[in-house]
Amino acid sequence: MTVTAMLSVAPLDSPDVDFDAQIAKAIDALDDYDVRYETNPMETTIEADGLDEVFAAAQGATEAVDASRVTTNLKIDHFREEDLAVEEKVDRVEAHLGRDAASPGARNGGAEQ
């Protein structure tokens, strides 16, 4: 079984809080859990073997943010009958496209990096 999740954690209504530093704390907290992750501009993609680890990682990331109010968005894709890594999801789409699933020059998919 594979669990893929999209996680976004951020301080909210905290004008004195360094937003980027708090996001970094949330991401750094993920290292304490048995998950693979990749951070993108809008969210962090998490991959784990089970739901419990995804929920624990999301909670750890949320608790790592030092602000009076924190918003957390978690979207889960739970494959119950097969293992499907996040790279395979993209590979399947790219097979249909016949190219990378990114525009030329995009940060992770184009020639410029």
Side-chain angles (χ1 to χ4, degrees), residues 2 36 47 82-95:
T2 304
R36 290 180 51 215
E47 181 179 68
E82 69 175 299
D83 288 327
L84 185 62
V86 292
E87 297 87 2
E88 291 177 82
K89 289 181 173 186
V90 176
D91 289 346
R92 288 180 177 190
V93 172
E94 288 178 342

Side-chain angles (χ1 to χ4, degrees), residues 35-48:
V35 298
R36 290 180 51 215
Y37 66 89
E38 180 178 351
T39 300
N40 299 295
M42 297 292 290
E43 76 275 333
T44 296
T45 301
I46 298 174
E47 181 179 68

Side-chain angles (χ1 to χ4, degrees), residues 10-73:
L12 188 65
D13 295 340
S14 302
D16 297 332
V17 171
D18 183 337
F19 187 84
D20 296 331
Q22 295 306 313
I23 299 300
K25 284 183 178 184
I27 293 166
D28 195 40
L30 296 175
D31 286 336
D32 294 337
Y33 302 90
D34 189 19
V35 298
R36 290 180 51 215
Y37 66 89
E38 180 178 351
T39 300
N40 299 295
M42 297 292 290
E43 76 275 333
T44 296
T45 301
I46 298 174
E47 181 179 68
D49 289 332
L51 281 170
D52 55 342
E53 200 64 24
V54 170
F55 285 128
Q59 181 176 353
T62 300
E63 291 175 350
V65 175
D66 186 20
S68 60
R69 188 174 177 192
V70 179
T71 180
T72 301
N73 294 302

